[in-house]
Every structure is written in structure tokens, then in C-alpha cells.
Amino acid sequence: MRHYKSFVALGDSFTEGLNDPGSNGHYRGWADRVAERLAADDPSFRYANLAIRGKLIDQIVSEQVPLAVEMAPDLVSLCAGGNDLLRPGSDPDVMAKKLARAVRDLRAGGADVLLFTGVDPRDTPLMRRLRGRFAIYYLHVRSIADLYGCRLVDQWSMQGLRDWRAWSADRLHMNEDGHRLVAARVLDVLGVPFEDWRKDWPERTVDPRVRRREDAQWMRDHLVPWVTRRIRGTSSGDGVHPKRPQLSPWSP
């Protein structure tokens, strides 16, 4: 196990920590949870989180990766492409080439790099139609991890994340429980002792009428605003700045 003295997290809303409430108006998320655990082993540990909700892979590669290279941390997490895959016409092959170039630049500086597959979307009615596109991209991610000697966090195999109780009301972002499971999986990949990432949820049944009401409310509260932003060409990340823009000692 490598002893990490610094960690920079790159990406979009997943890495920023939506919707895991933190302190001072910021979200917490899996990356903060990982940083907190790593800092427990070393008081001099430093952490930066450059992730911003809504960012596309081009933005992450051009805006965040160069900053991470300049910071020269021991560990970098890079999760990018989820927002692109939801957009019409996205090409997972082209996206993978961009990701590979970013990983090459990060690895050239000597950092260990964490890459992520996404969660299998087969249980999400609207996203399951894009399952093939997601699968192709995440197979590329696996290949890139192998080619460049990266550590891979495989969320596709995490059965605990297939339960809606790990997700917030918008059905796109994990809640506190989901982020805690991902943090546990990341630390397991890094070889750091922590809680088990495997989760068996208690069995439950949902009245179909209740489910239909929940689906209708979700469309009004979350799907329509998301589609509206796409039409207007705006992003949930417009005007949002990184919550931890500099490598600095860990603090909640």
C-alpha cells in the first residue's frame, strides 16, 4: 500500500459530492470522506477538490487536469464523461481518447490515478436505453486503467448502488449512503482499512400507485428542469467554483 500525502479530486457532480450535505453550504461526498480517512494516518496530508457539477469531459480535461498536474499530488481521482453520455450524439470512443490523454499526463507526473466505471443504468427507465453507450465507455475506462497502471473503482459491480435508497430524489446523484459506499470502495481499492463497501438492503415492497406518483413528481421537479437547461444551453455548474481549489491540510 502506498502512503498518500496529497490527493486531488477531479470531475463533475459525482466528485463534488452532490447530494451528500456537508458543512459551510458545501456538499461532502465520497472524495471528502476518502480524504478524511487518509488524513487520519498523516496530519500533514493535503487535499484539493476541483470538481464542479455539470462539467463535460472537455471541460474537465482542459480546466482541471492541468491544475492537478501542476499541483503534483501523490493521488488523483478522475471521473469524467457521465454528463456527456446523457447527451444526444455523444461518442464513447472519442470520449475515451480524451480520457486516455488526460490519464497519460497525470501519470507522467508520478501520481497514482483512480478511474471509475459508472453504475449500471439498467434499473433507470430513461437511462436504460443508453446502456450500450455507457457499457462501451466504461469498457474503455477499464482498458485505460490497465494500459496506464491506474487503480479502478468498479461501480458497475456494486449491487448496493442499484437500490434507490442509495440515491437522492433527483435519481441522478447519490445520497449520503451512496457516497459512503463509494468511499468505502475507493479505500478498499487503495488498500486502506475502512468499512465494508458491500451493502445488502432490507427487502421492501412499493405500492405501484405510490411509485407512479413518485415518478410524476420526479418528472416535474427534476426531469423538466434538466431538459430546460439543455435547451437553453445552461449548466447547473454555471457560476459554481471548486469547493477546495488548492492543496491544503484536511479540514471538515
Side-chain angles (χ1 to χ4, degrees):
M1 181 185 71
R2 181 174 177 180
H3 180 71
Y4 297 106
K5 298 181 69 66
S6 54
F7 169 36
V8 176
L10 311 178
D12 51 29
S13 58
F14 168 67
T15 303
E16 184 185 347
L18 277 68
N19 284 319
D20 180 8
S23 60
N24 302 320
H26 294 301
Y27 289 106
R28 189 181 183 190
W30 69 264
D32 282 18
R33 294 172 181 273
V34 168
E36 182 177 30
R37 174 61 185 86
L38 296 177
D41 291 335
D42 186 350
S44 67
F45 174 82
R46 297 176 301 150
Y47 169 54
N49 190 319
L50 308 182
I52 296 177
R53 69 199 73 171
K55 291 297 183 180
L56 303 173
I57 192 168
D58 282 341
Q59 296 169 310
I60 294 169
V61 169
S62 64
E63 299 169 8
Q64 299 179 22
V65 170
L67 294 176
V69 171
E70 185 177 348
M71 292 178 186
D74 297 332
L75 176 67
V76 178
S77 68
L78 175 58
C79 186
N83 291 316
D84 299 76
L85 291 169
L86 292 171
R87 296 186 173 221
S90 62
D91 187 331
D93 297 328
V94 173
M95 292 166 54
K97 291 180 180 179
K98 296 174 181 178
L99 183 72
R101 287 195 293 269
V103 170
R104 181 190 60 203
D105 292 343
L106 292 168
R107 291 290 286 148
D112 275 3
V113 175
L114 277 167
L115 296 179
F116 296 75
T117 71
V119 178
D120 187 348
R122 65 180 175 178
D123 300 314
T124 308
L126 291 177
M127 293 173 61
R128 72 163 61 105
R129 293 177 296 176
L130 305 175
R131 193 181 184 208
R133 182 188 299 177
F134 278 82
I136 291 171
Y137 180 64
Y138 294 132
L139 281 173
H140 279 306
V141 172
R142 286 178 171 275
S143 177
I144 292 167
D146 184 57
L147 180 63
Y148 290 99
C150 303
R151 298 177 183 268
L152 181 68
V153 180
D154 182 14
Q155 297 183 91
W156 195 281
S157 67
M158 293 181 66
Q159 296 301 303
L161 294 180
R162 291 185 55 196
D163 194 290
W164 284 117
R165 283 169 284 188
W167 296 82
S168 59
D170 66 11
R171 304 184 183 181
L172 287 174
H173 301 101
M174 296 174 189
N175 59 22
E176 177 182 353
D177 290 322
H179 280 285
R180 185 166 52 245
L181 292 175
V182 173
R185 185 65 186 269
V186 169
L187 289 164
D188 181 62
V189 168
L190 296 177
V192 179
F194 198 62
E195 63 187 67
D196 191 1
W197 55 266
R198 298 167 184 83
K199 174 73 172 180
D200 292 322
W201 295 93
E203 187 174 352
R204 68 168 182 171
T205 58
V206 179
D207 188 316
R209 293 170 297 179
V210 174
R211 172 60 69 187
R212 286 194 292 270
R213 288 198 298 269
E214 290 177 346
D215 289 345
Q217 183 175 355
W218 171 75
M219 292 182 67
R220 291 192 303 270
D221 296 347
H222 302 287
L223 179 61
V224 171
W226 185 85
V227 171
T228 300
R229 287 197 300 271
R230 298 287 79 76
I231 294 173
R232 294 176 176 173
T234 60
S235 168
S236 58
D238 290 346
V240 178
H241 302 286
K243 62 180 181 180
R244 296 177 182 267
Q246 302 294 331
L247 269 178
S248 57
W250 164 257
S251 61

